[in-house]
């Protein structure tokens, strides 16, 4: 079976530190579908590609910042053909500063922020430039300065950044007897979306009938499997439109669509624009 449940990632922690703050660059940037108990802040410093957070499918680019909650499965894949990608990653446990630290009244806003990160958050707005600067500073900080800078980052996120909540799947329990089956389907889909995938095929991976699988997938992710697959394919198509000179016809087939008409229809449904206009808008932003 190609699908596997999200790996439980464990980054090495130096003996003199209580949380991770480090830049990872290709080939160490690449991570498969995974989860970990630590909260994660990810600042993308180079490259672009696709991101998967909970049941969210989208894109990331240089300068983007995400906050991801404890045990929320996620993956970031650099665009096809892109040689280099890098991100500055911060990982910390909720209680690394003591079990009661977030319970004091002064930290209520930070507690609310971390609770919201269970949906995955993309930070935007006027505060992200300062936030990016602080995150880069955090990597170099030592001693108590690391904790103070991390607190400053979280304070800035709550007070000065706009928050885009990404995943409509808010709970990620680890004791659901069917969870591994769903993880298998997610991983299989991410790896094989360019090929023809049938409901019968993914239902077999989940060891369910097609009817039971469709019902369970919709209940678990708040979207149908076909919708999830389409979002992955359109996300990949956006990368290709921005990063290659391939024709729209080539991109439609490369993205897993068997009909250019259906590709254009699904693209407009998700992006509210046509593939041609999407590419033109991107090129205008680059001044081309």
């Amino acid at each position: 079976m190609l699908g596997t449940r999200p790996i439980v990632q464990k980054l090495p922690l130096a003996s003199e530190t209580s949380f991770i703050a480090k830049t990872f660059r290709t080939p160490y940037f690449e991570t498969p579908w995974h989860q970990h108990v630590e909260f994660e802040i990810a600042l993308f410093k180079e490259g672009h590609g696709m991101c998967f957070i909970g049941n969210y499918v989208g894109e990331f680019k240089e300068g983007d910042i995400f906050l991801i909650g404890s045990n929320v499965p996620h993956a970031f894949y650099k665009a096809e053909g892109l040689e280099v990608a890098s991100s500055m990653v911060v990982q910390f446990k909720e209680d690394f500063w003591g079990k009661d630290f977030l319970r004091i009244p002064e930290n209520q806003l930070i507690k609310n922020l971390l609770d919201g990160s269970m949906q995955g958050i993309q930070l935007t707005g006027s505060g992200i430039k300062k936030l990016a600067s602080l995150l880069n500073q955090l990597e170099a900080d030592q001693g108590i300065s690391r904790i103070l800078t991390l607190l400053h980052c979280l304070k800035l996120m709550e007070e000065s950044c706009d928050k885009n909540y990404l995943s409509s799947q808010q709970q990620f329990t680890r004791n659901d007897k069917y969870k591994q089956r769903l993880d298998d389907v997610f991983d299989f889909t991410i790896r094989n979306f360019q090929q023809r995938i049938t409901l019968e095929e993914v239902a077999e991976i989940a060891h369910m009938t097609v009817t039971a699988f469709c019902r369970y997938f919709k209940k678990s992710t708040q979207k149908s499997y076909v919708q999830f697959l389409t979002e992955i394919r359109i996300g990949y198509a956006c990368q290709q439109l921005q990063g290659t000179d391939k024709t729209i016809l080539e991109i439609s087939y490369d993205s897993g669509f068997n009909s250019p008409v259906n590709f254009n229809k699904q693209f407009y449904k998700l992006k509210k624009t046509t593939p041609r206009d999407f590419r033109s808008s991107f090129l205008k932003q680059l001044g081309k």
Side-chain angles (χ1 to χ4, degrees):
M1 181 186 297
L2 292 176
T4 55
R5 68 184 308 167
I7 64 171
V8 178
Q9 185 193 52
K10 184 64 176 178
L11 295 178
L13 187 65
S15 59
E16 70 277 9
T17 61
S18 56
F19 63 90
I20 301 289
K22 184 177 181 180
T23 294
F24 296 88
R25 197 170 189 264
T26 300
Y28 303 104
F29 167 86
E30 286 76 17
T31 55
W33 179 249
H34 70 286
Q35 65 188 71
H36 41 74
V37 68
E38 293 85 0
F39 289 83
E40 179 172 315
I41 305 168
L43 162 64
F44 290 93
K45 303 171 79 169
E46 299 173 276
H48 63 279
M50 294 182 67
C51 65
F52 303 85
I53 301 174
N55 69 352
Y56 170 78
V57 177
E59 300 120 55
F60 72 86
K61 63 183 183 303
E62 183 178 326
D64 283 349
I65 303 176
F66 295 86
L67 174 63
I68 303 169
S70 174
N71 282 319
V72 176
H74 57 284
F76 296 97
Y77 295 95
K78 73 176 188 289
E80 181 182 353
L82 190 68
E83 292 186 3
V84 175
S86 68
S87 61
M88 192 276 175
V89 174
V90 181
Q91 288 185 0
F92 59 94
K93 293 182 179 179
E94 184 175 14
D95 61 353
F96 86 93
W97 32 38
K99 292 185 177 180
D100 295 324
F101 182 73
L102 292 179
R103 298 178 184 177
I104 63 177
E106 289 84 353
N107 286 331
Q108 185 60 53
L109 289 180
I110 291 178
K111 180 67 165 60
N112 293 343
L113 175 71
L114 296 181
D115 288 345
S117 72
M118 293 304 298
Q119 291 177 257
I121 300 173
Q122 182 175 7
L123 287 307
T124 60
S126 60
I128 63 168
K129 287 186 177 181
K130 185 175 181 181
L131 178 58
S133 177
L134 280 173
L135 288 170
N136 285 316
Q137 175 187 325
L138 180 60
E139 186 171 9
D141 278 345
Q142 296 182 355
I144 194 171
S145 295
R146 301 179 83 243
I147 297 177
L148 294 176
T149 302
L150 177 57
L151 281 171
H152 195 176
C153 288
L154 295 172
K155 181 176 183 292
L156 190 63
M157 288 181 192
E158 179 56 41
E159 295 180 351
S160 303
C161 296
D162 297 327
K163 290 172 279 295
N164 181 19
Y165 295 90
L166 303 176
S167 176
S168 58
Q169 185 180 8
Q170 300 185 42
Q171 299 296 325
F172 298 91
T173 58
R174 303 187 68 177
N175 58 358
D176 185 336
K177 65 179 181 178
Y178 293 119
K179 182 178 184 298
Q180 182 175 352
R181 302 182 187 186
L182 191 64
D183 293 338
D184 289 344
V185 170
F186 267 59
D187 185 75
F188 173 83
T189 307
I190 291 169
R191 294 175 184 273
N192 296 279
F193 67 88
Q194 292 175 278
Q195 312 302 320
R196 180 175 181 267
I197 297 177
T198 66
L199 286 174
E200 288 78 11
E201 189 174 13
V202 289
E204 183 178 351
I205 290 172
H207 304 291
M208 295 179 177
T209 66
V210 170
T211 301
F213 168 74
C214 290
R215 186 185 305 117
Y216 178 70
F217 193 94
K218 184 68 177 287
K219 180 180 179 181
S220 299
T221 67
Q222 286 79 59
K223 62 179 68 174
S224 71
Y225 177 78
V226 172
Q227 181 182 354
F228 172 68
L229 176 59
T230 299
E231 288 175 356
I232 293 177
R233 288 172 168 168
I234 295 299
Y236 177 80
C238 288
Q239 288 184 30
Q240 297 293 294
L241 289 165
Q242 293 176 332
T244 74
D245 294 325
K246 292 179 181 179
T247 67
I248 292 175
L249 181 63
E250 288 175 319
I251 291 172
S252 70
Y253 288 119
D254 286 349
S255 302
F257 291 92
N258 59 9
S259 162
V261 173
N262 187 41
F263 169 63
N264 280 276
K265 177 182 177 181
Q266 297 301 328
F267 194 99
Y268 190 88
K269 184 177 180 180
L270 282 174
K271 297 297 181 180
K272 309 305 180 187
T273 187
T274 66
R276 188 176 304 279
D277 288 344
F278 180 88
R279 173 176 269 174
S280 296
S281 177
F282 175 73
L283 292 176
K284 285 180 181 178
Q285 292 176 15
L286 296 181
K288 294 183 179 182

